[in-house]
Amino acid sequence: MDRDVVETVSLRWLRRLVIAVFLVITVFPFYYMLVLSVRPIERLLLDPGALVVGFGELTVATYAEVLKATDDGGQGFLTFIRNSGMVAVAATVLTLLVAIPGAYAVARLRFFGRRQVDFLFLAVYLFPSIVIAIPLFVVFTRAGLRGSLFGLVLVYISQTLPVSVYMLKNYFETIPVSLEESAAIDGAGRLGIIRRVSLPLAMPSIMAVALYDFMIAWNEFLFALLFLVDKPNRWTVSLGLSLLADGVEVPKTVLMAGSVVLTLPIVILFFASERLLTEGLTSGAEKG
Amino acid sequence: MTTTAPGPGRSPTRERSAPPRRRQLTLRRRESRAGLALVAPTLLVTIAVIGIPIVWTVVLAFQRVRLATLRKTGLFGEFTMDNIDRVLHTPGFAETLWVTLIYSIGGTVGSIVLGLVAALVVRRPFRGRTLVRASMLLPYVAPVVAVTFVWQVMLDPQLGIVNAWGQRLLGWDAPVPFLTQESTALATVIAFEAWRYFPFAFLFLLARLQAVPGELEEAARVDGATPTQRFRHILLPQLLPVIALLGVLRFIMTFNKFDDVYLLTGGAAGTEVVSVRVYEFLTARTDIGAAAAQAVVLAVVLIVFVLIYLRFFGRRVS
């Protein structure tokens, strides 16, 4: 038989199979998380291989335990959600305020040291965060900022700023210069051009970067662990959940409920803005 | 910021009277000033929250600092080589470095291969493609604490689904403690790494694949090239620069990784990577000097590896 036909037909089937496998390995862990979070722990121990929840055993007691305040015998995750939300929003807003003008300058304006600045942001983006963590740990201990959410916001900016500048810069570079020039001919100054031409055009990309920054801050674990561990009322969801696992005999089903609480906001945000994010993340990647 | 930028009221007509050469010079100078003014806040913040900490880590690496004596030590106390010496000669140093290397290479190769396969299968449109593509990004966007927990529970010897099914369907004699025994822990952590980060490679490779001109493949097809030949001779050469770039990016990021290993195994069962070790020095032993020295060693080793890599693949990456 013709090799071309054999390959085309077998690859068509292989492709379907591979897509199915990928769907299983990416979605299954999240499905499993959800299923476990609504099963009572005794049922899980009896039948660990079950994939569906029987109607009789469905429970939301796990969520009640996770979300209730510590005074009411729960784990106080509502407080953690508030902390995480505040920190992530503040870090995102501050990052954008600083990153947008900087990215624009690096992308568009010729100034002394521009290449070096450009390289610096990339190098810093790839630097190990544990290296940055040590002196920040020292400074925060001395300045009494350890255990403060404001301090954590400052640290998160160090995580989000370089990647934001990098992504925004790539986008600003794709905006045709002629658009800005025609605005200049119409009498707009530099700030006017940025406000009326470049920013509106870059809005989708700015939204993508904002979402990305929010996700980084919401998901972050190492710095929360280093700086907040002594202050239980300041814990973020990630930290609270990981310390819950170290605690005295918390059932795995309760841990899974906590995981769902931690993951759900991100997944909702992600599916609501999937197209925006996918394109924002790789804009400029085609240049290879 | 506002002072250096030209006011919006100024119109280009007023400048027309000046000789052309001078006008160009002032425009250029104005642009340069605006550029510096706009980049200054970004630069200052970067230096404050990243630049200074990096330099300070290097300084700390050569000082005798412990958490207890922290309030008394100044920035420029006496310098010593003790920390570096201690880090290099503490038992387990070489092993940690070796584990980090295997973990980084394994994670990098795994995530790129998975990402490449994923990009190839969702390249052409089919029903539900958007949903499939979005699902493939889930491991990457989901919080690390949550996904490590799910893996831990799935692989748990008593109540994990993997062992339950392995025993029932594959006839395993006994449950496998994937994350706690030496023979499987490192491989499991690498598999996790490949699973969590293949979407990163997937995104970049898919974007590049879609930029390959359709005529190229069409021409090869007309010439009688089979699908695998077209991949080997048309697509792969187009993808190689991206793959080389992904190689260096993923290697650096995996080499620095802390959360994943710490949360999955805590560095036990032969999975202690360098950053977990730095964390141990910093918190369990409260030895800041040693932690800083270890971090500096990590950064230096990383830089050396990246330089070697760039030497071999540099032309492709740039």
Side-chain angles (χ1 to χ4, degrees):
Chain A
M1 222 194 331
D2 186 6
R3 178 178 163 189
D4 190 54
V5 175
V6 173
E7 276 193 13
T8 309
V9 171
S10 51
L11 280 178
R12 186 181 304 149
W13 284 101
L14 188 64
R15 176 159 159 258
R16 284 174 195 165
L17 183 71
V18 171
I19 290 175
V21 170
F22 266 108
L23 266 183
V24 170
I25 64 167
T26 51
V27 176
F28 180 75
F30 296 94
Y31 172 76
Y32 183 68
M33 186 196 285
L34 197 64
V35 166
L36 249 58
S37 72
V38 293
R39 292 185 75 194
I41 184 76
E42 312 81 50
R43 302 286 310 162
L44 174 66
L45 287 168
L46 275 177
D47 183 9
L51 274 184
V52 282
V53 202
F55 256 123
E57 57 175 33
L58 192 76
T59 174
V60 288
T62 45
Y63 286 91
E65 181 177 350
V66 162
L67 292 175
K68 254 195 289 184
T70 27
D71 298 342
D72 304 335
Q75 305 292 349
F77 265 50
L78 278 180
T79 320
F80 302 163
I81 293 174
R82 204 197 60 211
N83 291 343
S84 275
M86 274 172 14
V87 170
V89 168
T92 306
V93 171
L94 288 174
T95 303
L96 285 181
L97 276 182
V98 180
I100 291 173
Y104 179 83
V106 176
R108 259 302 177 266
L109 305 172
R110 288 161 294 178
F111 59 88
F112 179 72
R114 173 184 170 190
R115 287 180 65 96
Q116 288 80 347
V117 169
D118 194 15
F119 176 76
L120 178 83
F121 285 127
L122 186 63
V124 148
Y125 171 45
L126 296 172
F127 225 80
S129 49
I130 192 101
V131 173
I132 300 164
I134 297 165
L136 288 178
F137 186 76
V138 172
V139 177
F140 281 26
T141 308
R142 284 181 114 177
L145 272 174
R146 242 174 91 197
S148 100
L149 289 179
F150 174 71
L152 197 65
V153 170
L154 283 185
V155 180
Y156 284 177
I157 293 175
S158 77
Q159 300 294 292
T160 51
L161 186 59
V163 63
S164 306
V165 171
Y166 187 71
M167 284 164 66
L168 286 171
K169 186 203 81 171
N170 280 342
Y171 192 78
F172 279 128
E173 277 170 353
T174 63
I175 298 176
V177 189
S178 53
L179 281 177
E180 299 189 356
E181 281 170 354
S182 54
I185 289 170
D186 289 343
R190 182 59 69 188
L191 285 183
I193 295 176
I194 294 177
R195 215 181 54 224
R196 298 211 190 86
V197 179
S198 316
L199 279 189
L201 282 173
M203 223 10 126
S205 190
I206 292 174
M207 288 302 297
V209 173
L211 283 165
Y212 195 56
D213 289 347
F214 183 88
M215 286 180 184
I216 293 179
W218 178 276
N219 293 350
E220 205 283 336
F221 170 68
L222 167 63
F223 287 109
L225 175 65
L226 275 177
F227 294 138
L228 298 179
V229 83
D230 323 323
K231 295 269 175 63
N233 59 332
R234 305 261 167 79
W235 286 352
T236 60
V237 186
S238 282
L239 181 61
L241 183 60
S242 80
L243 293 175
L244 190 60
D246 295 344
V248 271
E249 283 315 297
V250 177
K252 291 277 191 274
T253 50
V254 173
L255 280 183
M256 286 301 106
S259 300
V260 172
V261 169
L262 172 63
T263 313
L264 207 57
I266 292 297
V267 170
I268 291 173
L269 258 185
F270 172 70
F271 275 100
S273 58
E274 187 268 332
R275 182 169 295 259
L276 204 65
L277 268 180
T278 326
E279 278 153 24
L281 267 175
T282 48
S283 67
E286 295 90 279
K287 280 188 298 184
Chain B
M1 214 156 86
T2 38
T3 47
T4 46
R10 178 171 292 189
S11 71
T13 43
R14 207 186 299 170
E15 285 160 336
R16 205 183 286 155
S17 54
R21 248 178 78 216
R22 232 190 98 209
R23 193 190 67 173
Q24 212 170 21
L25 193 75
T26 48
L27 261 183
R28 183 72 194 268
R29 193 181 294 161
R30 210 186 285 161
E31 184 179 323
S32 175
R33 278 221 202 131
L36 282 175
L38 287 177
V39 88
T42 326
L43 206 54
L44 283 179
V45 173
T46 310
I47 290 172
V49 296
I50 308 173
I52 294 175
I54 289 175
V55 175
W56 202 340
T57 305
V58 178
V59 174
L60 283 172
F62 295 97
Q63 283 181 319
R64 188 188 302 276
V65 199
R66 296 186 154 266
L67 199 57
T69 61
L70 191 57
R71 291 183 181 277
K72 281 175 266 165
T73 359
L75 178 50
F76 297 102
E78 340 160 13
F79 288 91
T80 163
M81 287 299 286
D82 275 9
N83 294 326
I84 302 279
D85 197 53
R86 205 163 58 232
V87 163
L88 294 179
H89 293 107
T90 312
F93 170 75
E95 203 205 324
T96 304
L97 208 57
W98 181 238
V99 168
T100 314
L101 192 62
I102 296 177
Y103 166 69
S104 307
I105 294 177
T108 304
V109 172
S111 68
I112 294 179
V113 169
L114 274 184
L116 179 63
V117 174
L120 286 172
V121 293
V122 302
R123 194 173 150 225
R124 297 199 194 291
F126 56 88
R127 205 143 40 95
R129 175 167 175 256
T130 320
L131 200 64
V132 170
R133 193 179 63 172
S135 312
M136 284 199 185
L137 299 180
L138 274 179
Y140 183 58
V141 295
V144 60
V145 178
V147 287
T148 46
F149 271 174
V150 178
W151 271 62
Q152 271 179 342
V153 175
M154 283 199 307
L155 298 173
D156 193 281
Q158 271 89 48
L159 38 77
I161 191 157
V162 174
N163 276 309
W165 284 29
Q167 281 169 299
R168 195 188 299 166
L169 303 175
L170 304 175
W172 295 353
D173 296 334
V176 184
F178 286 98
L179 288 164
T180 45
Q181 67 177 12
E182 293 250 344
S183 54
T184 52
L186 187 58
T188 311
V189 171
I190 289 174
F192 175 83
E193 196 66 21
W195 174 80
R196 184 156 140 78
Y197 292 100
F198 89 83
F200 184 84
F202 164 70
L203 273 182
F204 278 75
L205 290 167
L206 189 64
R208 186 70 192 84
L209 267 181
Q210 271 156 359
V212 174
E215 303 92 66
L216 224 59
E217 263 192 285
E218 198 53 38
R221 211 167 67 92
V222 172
D223 287 345
T226 66
T228 49
Q229 286 171 333
R230 293 204 296 270
F231 170 72
R232 170 69 191 80
H233 297 285
I234 308 283
L235 292 180
L236 198 59
Q238 296 268 335
L239 291 177
L240 273 183
V242 185
I243 293 178
L245 178 70
L246 280 170
V248 71
L249 284 180
R250 287 282 7 127
F251 181 83
I252 295 174
M253 288 170 173
T254 318
F255 202 87
N256 297 333
K257 207 81 213 149
F258 166 80
D259 315 13
D260 306 35
V261 177
Y262 179 80
L263 287 165
L264 276 176
T265 67
T271 58
E272 193 187 54
V273 294
V274 180
S275 53
V276 171
R277 203 175 160 88
V278 175
Y279 176 81
E280 292 295 326
F281 274 118
L282 192 61
T283 56
R285 307 194 194 179
T286 65
D287 189 341
I288 294 172
Q294 180 76 66
V296 167
V297 171
L298 164 78
V300 169
V301 171
L302 181 62
I303 290 169
V304 169
F305 280 135
V306 171
L307 286 181
I308 294 173
Y309 182 90
L310 289 180
R311 224 187 137 68
F312 282 105
F313 299 100
R315 268 183 312 143
R316 292 221 176 104
V317 174
S318 62

